[in-house]
Amino acid sequence: MGVVNVTPDSFSDGGRFARTEAAVAQGLRLLREGATVVDIGGESSRPGAEPVAAEEEMRRVVPVIEALARQIGPSQAISVDTCKPEVARAALEGGAHLVNDITGLREPMLEVLAEHGASGVAMHMQGEPRTMQKSPRYRDVVAEVREFLADRLAEALEHDVPCMIDPGIGFGKTLDQNLALLANLAELRSLGAPLLIGVSRKSMLGQLTGAEVDERVEASVAAHLMAALQGAEVLRVHDVLAHRRALVVARAIDDAALPERSAGRVHIEELLLSCHIGVTDGERAVAQPLAVSLVFTPSSPAHSDALDSTVDYAEVCEHCRRFAAERSFRLVETFGQELGRALLLETGATAVELRIDKPDPAARLGASSVGCCLKLRAARPSTIE
Ligand code: HH2
C-alpha cells in the first residue's frame, strides 16, 4: 500500500502532494512502482496534528480519488485514509474501494462501508492524535491491542464488512511499546484477519537510528521486512520501489526454502460445501453449493507414519464444512482468502493453494463453473532468528 498525503502538514510528505495534480501523479507513480493499493489521506494524524473540517478533507481527497479511479488497472485499488463517515462516503462514491480508519471502524463508519460493499482497515490508537504521545500507558500492550482489534473485527463481521487489522504503530505508543507489537505479530495474526503494518519513516525509526525523516528508507524496509516475515500481508509505505525490491529478494529466498521436494504436497479435490455466498441479498439468503480444491505445502516432511506429522485430511474437510456453514460472503475471493488463512493457522502448513468453484452459476453466463484460484503463504518467523 503506497501512501499519498494530500495535506500541507503530514509528518513526512506534507506539502509535496497538496495539489490534486501532484497527488494523482504520485499515486500513479507508486502504482507503477508495484503498489497494489494507494492510500489517499486528507488529514494528518501526526502527533499534535490539528483536526481538519470534513468539507476541507473532501475538497482535498475526492478529486484525487476520482482522477485515480479513471486510470488504475483492474488489480489495483484505492483506499481513503479517513475517520469521518461523510468523507468515506464521498470517497467511495468517487471510486475508492477501501476505507482506512485510524479510529478503528466504529459506527456509523461501518454502516457506510456496508452500504457500499466496501472493505475497511481497523487501526488501534490510544487517545487522539493531538495528545496521543503525551503518556501512553498499557498493562500489556500486545494483549490490549489484540483485544481491541478482536472487538473491532467482530463488529465489522457483524456488518458483513471485510476488515484488515492494524496495531497502529506510533499511535499512542512509546518506542518500547511499538517494538513489543512489532516483535509479536503472531498474536495479532491469530485473529485470522489480514494484518496491515505501517512504520514508514515514523519517529520510532529516528529514535533507533538517529536518521531524519527523509533518511529513513532503509530503516522502514527493515521494519517492514520483519513484519512481512511474521505474516503481515499489507505494508503501508511511502517508498514503494525500495520495499518492492527488498520483498522480491526475501520472497526468492523464502521460495527456495519451500520443502516441496522432500515434504511432498497434500491435496484434496473438489470438497463439496454449502455456503451463504453471493453478491445479491437473494443469493446469500439460500445456501449455494461450492467445490473447494486444496493443495497444502506442509512445513516439514512427515517425520513418522503418524497422522499428527502431516496435514490431516479429515480435520481439514471438517474445518472447511464448519467455516462454510457458519459464515456468509459476497465474493468467492474473500471466502477463499479467509478460508485459506484459517487453514494455514489450523494445519501449520507453509502454503496453501485454493481453487473455489461455484458449480451452479447463473444460466445467463453460459459457463459450467465460475470461481477463483489463490495461493496463500504462512509467516515463517523461524527463517530469521
Ligand atoms: N499511519 C499514518 C496514517 N495512517 N493508517 C494505518 N492504517 N496505519 C498507519 O500506521 C498509519 C495510517 C501516519 O503516516 P502518514 O500518513 O504518512 O502521516 P500523516 O498522518 O502525518 O499524514
Side-chain angles (χ1 to χ4, degrees):
M1 174 186 274
V3 182
V4 182
N5 287 309
V6 197
T7 58
D9 57 343
S10 286
F11 80 94
S12 80
D13 58 357
R16 287 186 57 203
F17 310 115
R19 284 182 24 255
T20 303
E21 307 73 56
V24 173
Q26 176 67 0
L28 293 173
R29 178 180 157 188
L30 297 182
L31 291 168
R32 272 195 311 278
E33 289 181 352
T36 47
V37 184
V38 272
D39 191 33
I40 310 297
E43 176 178 47
S44 172
S45 53
R46 72 179 200 290
E50 287 299 331
V52 172
E55 295 68 37
E56 172 61 12
E57 201 181 323
M58 284 189 242
R59 193 195 60 73
R60 293 177 185 178
V61 298
V62 173
V64 177
I65 289 169
E66 286 173 343
L68 286 172
R70 286 192 293 272
Q71 299 180 65
I72 62 170
S75 57
Q76 298 172 329
I78 302 169
S79 151
V80 61
D81 185 348
T82 187
C83 50
K84 300 190 187 75
E86 57 271 49
V87 177
R89 177 174 281 114
L92 292 169
E93 282 164 10
H97 308 87
L98 182 73
V99 176
N100 172 21
D101 180 0
I102 61 166
T103 59
L105 285 185
R106 297 162 199 263
E107 284 295 6
M109 185 64 105
L110 279 174
E111 301 262 306
V112 175
L113 270 73
E115 264 169 45
H116 288 81
S119 321
V121 179
M123 196 196 80
H124 175 273
M125 165 165 58
Q126 188 176 86
E128 40 128 6
R130 221 159 32 81
T131 52
M132 65 190 177
Q133 288 307 101
K134 290 226 163 104
S135 55
R137 262 182 236 286
Y138 299 84
R139 252 180 312 102
D140 174 340
V141 67
V142 178
E144 283 174 53
V145 169
R146 185 181 191 282
E147 200 179 306
F148 172 87
L149 293 175
D151 182 61
R152 303 318 311 139
L153 188 58
E155 201 174 333
L157 291 179
E158 270 168 32
H159 285 76
D160 252 350
V161 170
C163 178
M164 290 185 229
I165 51 171
D166 177 352
I169 300 302
F171 285 86
K173 284 135 195 142
T174 62
L175 172 60
D176 285 345
Q177 290 158 355
N178 288 322
L179 290 172
L181 285 164
L182 287 168
N184 293 287
L185 296 182
E187 294 287 318
L188 305 181
R189 278 202 81 236
S190 66
L191 292 173
L195 179 61
L196 183 152
I197 294 293
V199 196
S200 189
R201 302 185 188 171
K202 285 189 176 169
S203 68
M204 66 165 277
L205 304 173
Q207 286 172 270
L208 290 168
T209 63
E212 292 300 326
V213 71
D214 53 354
E215 295 169 348
R216 294 181 189 156
V217 181
E218 305 86 343
S220 304
V221 169
H224 286 132
L225 215 47
M226 293 288 285
L229 286 167
Q230 292 176 77
E233 277 138 321
V234 182
L235 306 172
R236 184 181 179 278
V237 308
H238 300 87
D239 305 288
V240 169
L241 190 59
H243 282 85
R244 173 115 201 116
R245 288 177 174 159
L247 286 169
V248 165
V249 174
R251 176 53 46 86
I253 296 169
D254 200 40
D255 279 350
L258 280 179
E260 285 169 7
R261 260 160 300 174
S262 50
R265 302 208 293 168
V266 172
H267 71 104
I268 296 173
E269 298 298 330
E270 302 199 356
L271 172 65
L272 286 175
L273 303 174
S274 90
C275 182
H276 290 265
I277 190 162
V279 175
T280 64
D281 293 346
E283 276 179 300
R284 282 201 310 286
V286 189
Q288 310 276 331
L290 283 182
V292 175
S293 301
L294 302 158
V295 182
F296 290 93
T297 304
S299 57
S300 57
H303 49 74
S304 73
D305 203 26
L307 193 52
D308 65 2
S309 70
T310 183
V311 172
D312 179 343
Y313 308 125
E315 258 176 26
V316 169
C317 293
E318 181 49 32
H319 190 97
C320 292
R321 263 189 214 102
R322 249 186 294 119
F323 182 92
E326 287 169 5
R327 307 277 300 271
S328 122
F329 292 88
R330 287 198 178 82
L331 303 179
V332 279
E333 288 86 338
T334 337
F335 171 87
Q337 281 162 14
E338 296 199 16
L339 175 62
R341 260 190 293 277
L343 289 173
L344 287 173
L345 289 173
E346 172 84 14
T347 60
T350 307
V352 61
E353 288 168 49
L354 300 95
R355 182 188 159 98
I356 296 139
D357 290 310
K358 268 182 129 176
D360 267 351
R364 70 186 151 73
L365 296 181
S368 65
S369 160
V370 293
C372 75
C373 298
L374 56 153
K375 179 167 183 174
L376 301 176
R377 285 157 197 284
R380 296 202 296 149
S382 58
T383 51
I384 51 164
E385 278 184 328

